[in-house]
Amino acid sequence: MQIPFLSQLQTLTGPPVNKIVGVASAGPARLAAEQILQHVLHGLPELLAAAVGQIASGQLLASYTTSRDFNPAKIIGFNAEVIRQQRQAMQALHLPPDEQLTELLITLRTQLHLLRLLPDGQRFLYVAVDCRDTNLGIAREVMRTCET
């Protein structure tokens, strides 16, 4: 049963846990982002967090997290900036035009953070996993299959 007051109170304590949340206005972009996250969650049930964001604006479209301490809405803009900066670095290298940025991997002591550009080149998928629970190859393959 949905009680509006309790739902509003819960949003003040942090992001909803273990639930895919569409943040963007209702429409095809939000629906597509939610479907991508459902696919990721099906393939990586042990993930810590996942989100779909827009590269140009850093806007969050949809997110999922397993912990209130891990808030994808706060970090999606920073991840979008990482992608924009990497694209600029690639331009500075004067790489051939057919070279495209597809994925970035950030390794921490206990976590892996993966950023994968979606086929439209305007959005990206962000996934955070515990490296003790998740194989990097499997995580990358699950993210790659979200493109279809």
Side-chain angles (χ1 to χ4, degrees), residues 2-15:
Q2 287 279 350
I3 302 172
F5 172 74
L6 293 178
S7 297
Q8 188 173 6
L9 186 63
Q10 184 180 20
T11 61
L12 297 175
T13 61

Side-chain angles (χ1 to χ4, degrees), residues 10-33:
Q10 184 180 20
T11 61
L12 297 175
T13 61
V17 177
N18 298 325
K19 181 179 179 185
I20 294 175
V21 179
V23 180
S25 58
R30 177 177 163 179
L31 180 62

Side-chain angles (χ1 to χ4, degrees), residues 6-138:
L6 293 178
S7 297
Q8 188 173 6
L9 186 63
Q10 184 180 20
T11 61
L12 297 175
T13 61
V17 177
N18 298 325
K19 181 179 179 185
I20 294 175
V21 179
V23 180
S25 58
R30 177 177 163 179
L31 180 62
E34 290 173 354
Q35 289 174 342
I36 289 169
L37 294 182
Q38 287 173 354
H39 180 80
V40 169
L41 187 57
H42 179 72
L44 297 170
E46 65 281 349
L47 65 82
L48 300 172
V52 176
Q54 292 182 338
I55 296 170
S57 66
Q59 179 187 6
L60 178 67
L61 299 174
S63 68
Y64 173 88
T65 186
T66 58
S67 169
R68 290 200 190 284
D69 296 331
F70 207 110
N71 190 345
K74 289 185 177 180
I75 58 174
I76 202 76
F78 292 112
N79 286 331
E81 182 62 27
V82 167
I83 292 170
R84 290 191 297 266
Q85 292 294 321
Q86 186 59 44
R87 283 180 168 173
Q88 287 182 347
M90 290 175 62
Q91 287 177 347
L93 291 172
H94 302 291
L95 297 172
D98 62 335
E99 280 295 332
Q100 296 284 327
L101 179 64
T102 57
E103 181 180 276
L104 292 169
L105 170 64
I106 301 166
T107 55
L108 304 176
R109 194 168 36 90
T110 61
Q111 297 176 0
L112 300 172
H113 295 249
L114 295 100
L115 307 171
R116 183 159 186 93
L117 277 67
L118 295 173
D120 64 7
Q122 305 302 312
R123 299 172 301 141
F124 69 98
L125 172 61
Y126 163 72
V127 171
V129 295
D130 188 316
C131 61
R132 297 168 291 195
D133 298 336
T134 306
N135 178 292
L136 175 60
I138 292 172

